[in-house]
C-alpha cells in the first residue's frame, strides 16, 4: 500500500508537468478501491464489473475484502432506461466487434498450478472433472449436486474431463482446425468447427465461446478456454455426456418428459412442445411433490418396474409461467439485487426481468426465450424440493388450451418411439466426441412396460388454482 500510495501521490505532479493541469479524483478512487479490495475497510465502491455478461459501473459492497453487487432499487421507468442504454451500447459495439476478433491474449501458465477435482456419480456410473480453476470444479459441484452425487476429490483420481484456462491452447487448436478440412455443427446452441486425425483424435473449436477441445480415443477429454465460466459450462456438459454414454451402454434410455416424485413413485408428463410438461411438473412440485426433471429423464427396466433418474440441466421456466405460478416478483427482486441466473439465459430475458416485463419472449425461429435456473436455485429461489430418482407409477399427457376447464380427454395417446431421445434425434448435444455407444437397444421393452402404467390425457387451462387442484386430485397417492 505504501508503494502504491507513493506512486499515486507523485502522479498529479507528473500529469501537471505534461498537461499543465491535473485531477486528483482518479488517485483517490484507486486508493479507495484498494483499501476495500484488500479488506482494510468495509465500504461501497462503484467499479466496472462484468455483471450478467456486460461491463457496467455498479456499486459493490465490500465486507472483509469480498465484493457483493448492490444495485440500487429502480422503478419501472428507470429499469427501462437502463435496459435501453444497454441495448444502445451493445448495438453500437457489436458491428465493431465483428470487424476484428483478436485471439485470446497469450498467458504463460504457471509451472506449479493447484488443481482441484469434482467426482460426479449416479447409478453406479461416474466421471471426474479436474481443472486449474476452482471455478470449474465448484461449478460442477453446484450443477450436479442437487440431482446427481457430486463431491470434491483428488486431482489424480483418473479424470475423464480435464478443463483448463489456457488461451494458448485455444489459439493453437483453433488454428489447427482452421488449417484442416473441418466439419461444422452446432453444439449446445453454439457453432463448432472440428477436425479428425487419422488416429481418431478430435480437435474442435467454438470461436464464439473462445473454447477448444481435444479428444483422443480412450483418453480423457480436454477442454481449454480463456475465461472460467465458458470452460465451466463446457466441462459440465462433457462430464454429463461421459456419464450419459455409460448409462446408455448400461441399458438406460432418455425419455422426453418431466417428472415429479413422492415416496419414490414418479409421475411422468409427456407431450409435444408447448403441451404443458413443465407447467404440470411445477404445479405438482409447488404442491409438495419432489421435482425430478423438467424436460428429460433417464429410464430403465428394474425388475418389473421402471427406474427413473434425472437429467441435470438448467431449468427453463417461461416469463408467463413464472408469473402465473406467483414466482415472478421474487425472482425479479433477486436479479435486481445482483444475483444471477444461469449464464445461458438470453440477455433479452434478463432485460425483461430488470424492466418488469412479464410478456413471453420469442427468438426469430419461434422458440420461447425463458429464464434459466441453476438446479440449486429451484430450491433456494423457488422453494422446491428435488428428487434424485424414482420408479414410474403413472403418465400424464396434458394439453393446455386458453379458456379450457381442467378435465379428462376421451382420446388415446401412448408413449411412442418418438418420445425418446436417440443419437439420431438429439438436437442439442450431437455426439461429436464419440462418447455414446454404437449399439443401443431399441425402446420396445420400455414401451411395453410404459404401456402398462395408468395414463391420462388431460385438458388444462390458464387458471392456475383450478389446474393445481385437478392435478393434485388426479396424482393422489401414486399406485
Amino acid at each position: 500500500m505504501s508503494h502504491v500510495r507513493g506512486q499515486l501521490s507523485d502522479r498529479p505532479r507528473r500529469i501537471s508537468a505534461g498537461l499543465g493541469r491535473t485531477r486528483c479524483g482518479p488517485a483517490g478512487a484507486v486508493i479507495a478501491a484498494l483499501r476495500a479490495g484488500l479488506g482494510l475497510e468495509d465500504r461501497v465502491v462503484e467499479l466496472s464489473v462484468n455483471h450478467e455478461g456486460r461491463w457496467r459501473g455498479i456499486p459493490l459492497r465490500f465486507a472483509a475484502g469480498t465484493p457483493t453487487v448492490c444495485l440500487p432499487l429502480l422503478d419501472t421507468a428507470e429499469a427501462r432506461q437502463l435496459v435501453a442504454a444497454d441495448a444502445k451500447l451493445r448495438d453500437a459495439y457489436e458491428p465493431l466487434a465483428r470487424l476484428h476478433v483478436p485471439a485470446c491474449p497469450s498467458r504463460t501458465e504457471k509451472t506449479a498450478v493447484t488443481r482441484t477435482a469434482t467426482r460426479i456419480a449416479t447409478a453406479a456410473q461416474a466421471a471426474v472433472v479436474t481443472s486449474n480453476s476452482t471455478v470449474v470444479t465448484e461449478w460442477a459441484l453446484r450443477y450436479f449436486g442437487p440431482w446427481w452425487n457430486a463431491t470434491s476429490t483428488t486431482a489424480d483420481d483418473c479424470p475423464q474431463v480435464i478443463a483448463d484456462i489456457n488461451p494458448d491452447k485455444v489459439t493453437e487448436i483453433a488454428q489447427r482446425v482452421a488449417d484442416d478440412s473441418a466439419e461444422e455443427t452446432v453444439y449446445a446452441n453454439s457453432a463448432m468447427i472440428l477436425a479428425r486425425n487419422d488416429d481418431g483424435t478430435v480437435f474442435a473449436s467454438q470461436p464464439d465461446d473462445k473454447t477448444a477441445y481435444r479428444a483422443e480415443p480412450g483418453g480423457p477429454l480436454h477442454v481449454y478456454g480463456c475465461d472460467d465460466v465458458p470452460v465451466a459450462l463446457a466441462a459440465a456438459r462433457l462430464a454429463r455426456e461421459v456419464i450419459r454414454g455409460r448409462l446408455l451402454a448400461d441399458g438406460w434410455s432418455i425419455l422426453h418428459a418431466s417428472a415429479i416424485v413422492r415416496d419414490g413413485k414418479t409421475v411422468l408428463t409427456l407431450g409435444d412442445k408447448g403441451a404443458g410438461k413443465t407447467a404440470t411438473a411445477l404445479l405438482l412440485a409447488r404442491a409438495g411433490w419432489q421435482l425430478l426433471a423438467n424436460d428429460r429423464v433417464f429410464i430403465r427396466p428394474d425388475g418389473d418396474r421402471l427406474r427413473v433418474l434425472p437429467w441435470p440441466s438448467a431449468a427453463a421456466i417461461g416469463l408467463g409461467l413464472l408469473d402465473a405460478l406467483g414466482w415472478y416478483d421474487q425472482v425479479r427482486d433477486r436479479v435486481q439485487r445482483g444475483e444471477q441466473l444461469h449464464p445461458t439465459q438470453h440477455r433479452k430475458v434478463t432485460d425483461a426481468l430488470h424492466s418488469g416485463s412479464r410478456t413471453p419472449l420469442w427468438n426469430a425461429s419461434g422458440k420461447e426465450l425463458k429464464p434459466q435456473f441453476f438446479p440449486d436455485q429451484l430450491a433456494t429461489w423457488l422453494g422446491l424440493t428435488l428428487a434424485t430418482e424414482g420408479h414410474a407409477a403413472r403418465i400424464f399427457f396434458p394439453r393446455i388450451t386458453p379458456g379450457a376447464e381442467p378435465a379428462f380427454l376421451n382420446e388415446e395417446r401412448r408413449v411412442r418411439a418418438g418420445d425418446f431421445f436417440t443419437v439420431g434425434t438429439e438436437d442439442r448435444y450431437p455426439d461429436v466426441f464419440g462418447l455414446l455407444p454404437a449399439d443401443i437397444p431399441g425402446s420396445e421393452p420400455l414401451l411395453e412396460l410404459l404401456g402398462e402404467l395408468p395414463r391420462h390425457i388431460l385438458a388444462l387451462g390458464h387458471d392456475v388454482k383450478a389446474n393445481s387442484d385437478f392435478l393434485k386430485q388426479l396424482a393422489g397417492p401414486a399406485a
Side-chain angles (χ1 to χ4, degrees):
M1 284 294 294
S2 61
H3 176 71
V4 172
R5 187 181 295 278
Q7 292 287 316
L8 290 173
S9 296
D10 188 51
R11 190 170 180 81
R13 180 193 62 75
R14 293 167 57 198
I15 295 175
S16 182
L19 299 178
R21 57 183 173 79
T22 188
R23 295 171 60 192
C24 60
V30 171
I31 289 292
L34 281 172
R35 291 187 62 80
L38 293 172
L40 303 177
E41 181 179 332
D42 291 347
R43 63 186 300 167
V44 176
V45 183
E46 185 171 298
L47 295 172
S48 183
V49 178
N50 188 340
H51 180 59
E52 297 173 344
R54 288 163 289 185
W55 288 89
R56 299 190 291 196
I58 291 180
L60 297 179
R61 179 179 287 109
F62 282 87
T66 301
T68 302
V69 171
C70 53
L71 288 173
L73 292 177
L74 305 178
D75 60 30
T76 300
E78 291 168 334
R80 286 175 178 166
Q81 286 179 324
L82 178 62
V83 170
D86 275 341
K88 185 175 181 180
L89 287 170
R90 188 165 61 246
D91 290 346
Y93 168 76
E94 288 181 347
L96 298 175
R98 286 195 293 269
L99 295 177
H100 175 63
V101 181
C104 295
S106 178
R107 303 178 195 167
T108 302
E109 193 171 1
K110 296 178 181 179
T111 54
V113 176
T114 300
R115 304 192 66 82
T116 55
T118 295
R119 185 178 186 271
I120 304 136
T122 186
Q125 304 300 332
V128 174
V129 176
T130 183
S131 178
N132 62 1
S133 166
T134 57
V135 171
V136 174
T137 49
E138 288 173 359
W139 188 288
L141 281 171
R142 179 186 186 188
Y143 195 80
F144 292 103
W147 270 318
W148 287 355
N149 182 31
T151 56
S152 296
T153 185
T154 58
D156 57 356
D157 188 12
C158 299
Q160 284 73 45
V161 178
I162 299 173
D164 286 341
I165 310 301
N166 191 330
D168 291 336
K169 282 291 186 182
V170 175
T171 304
E172 175 190 322
I173 292 175
Q175 187 62 56
R176 178 175 189 146
V177 171
D179 290 343
D180 290 341
S181 298
E183 307 170 29
E184 294 186 13
T185 188
V186 175
Y187 186 82
N189 297 321
S190 181
M192 174 180 278
I193 308 168
L194 57 148
R196 305 177 190 273
N197 277 5
D198 293 338
D199 64 359
T201 301
V202 177
F203 295 92
S205 171
Q206 289 186 293
D208 290 345
D209 301 328
K210 291 186 171 62
T211 54
Y213 306 79
R214 187 179 85 244
E216 300 174 7
L221 290 156
H222 293 261
V223 55
Y224 306 103
C226 300
D227 297 297
D228 296 307
V229 171
V231 174
L233 283 165
R237 293 188 193 109
L238 291 177
R240 186 178 59 199
E241 289 299 284
V242 169
I243 294 179
R244 174 191 182 187
R246 294 177 178 180
L247 288 174
L248 293 178
D250 199 26
W252 293 84
S253 297
I254 301 173
L255 186 63
H256 192 184
S258 66
I260 47 95
V261 177
R262 186 165 63 195
D263 298 328
K265 299 169 184 176
T266 304
V267 173
L268 298 170
T269 304
L270 290 86
D272 298 330
K273 289 184 178 180
K277 294 188 297 295
T278 298
T280 300
L282 292 178
L283 282 168
L284 287 169
R286 196 181 63 158
W289 289 64
Q290 296 174 301
L291 182 66
L292 186 121
N294 75 309
D295 185 61
R296 58 173 85 183
V297 297
F298 288 96
I299 187 167
R300 188 184 78 168
D302 182 23
D304 59 351
R305 299 191 298 175
L306 287 168
R307 188 180 176 192
V308 184
L309 298 175
W311 167 278
S313 68
I317 305 175
L319 291 169
L321 180 57
L322 206 62
D323 187 32
L325 295 175
W327 291 329
Y328 182 94
D329 289 331
Q330 65 200 58
V331 170
R332 185 191 180 212
D333 182 58
R334 284 178 174 269
V335 170
Q336 286 197 309
R337 291 205 308 265
E339 297 183 62
Q340 297 186 40
L341 290 164
H342 196 271
T344 56
Q345 177 174 289
H346 198 283
R347 286 175 178 170
K348 288 183 178 179
V349 176
T350 305
D351 292 345
L353 288 169
H354 276 295
S355 66
S357 174
R358 300 161 194 256
T359 304
L361 299 169
W362 310 88
N363 64 14
S365 63
K367 181 180 179 181
E368 186 176 1
L369 304 174
K370 303 177 181 181
Q372 302 280 336
F373 293 84
F374 281 96
D376 65 309
Q377 289 174 330
L378 296 171
T380 58
W381 287 35
L382 306 183
L384 303 180
T385 303
L386 305 186
T388 56
E389 67 172 277
H391 284 91
R394 64 179 70 228
I395 302 172
F396 291 167
F397 295 98
R399 182 187 305 159
I400 294 181
T401 305
E405 293 290 332
F408 294 104
L409 293 176
N410 187 23
E411 299 177 9
E412 177 63 19
R413 169 72 157 92
R414 302 174 69 91
V415 182
R416 50 199 179 214
D419 292 315
F420 289 87
F421 285 99
T422 66
V423 175
T425 62
E426 176 60 76
D427 56 350
R428 279 181 281 180
Y429 312 105
D431 187 27
V432 295
F433 301 113
L435 300 175
L436 306 186
D439 297 321
I440 300 176
S443 56
E444 289 77 13
L446 280 172
L447 290 173
E448 184 176 345
L449 288 171
L450 286 165
E452 296 173 359
L453 296 177
R455 60 186 185 277
H456 308 282
I457 295 86
L458 313 174
L460 300 176
H462 283 177
D463 185 325
V464 170
K465 184 178 185 309
N467 288 342
S468 184
D469 291 343
F470 178 70
L471 289 169
K472 283 191 292 182
Q473 182 179 6
L474 180 59

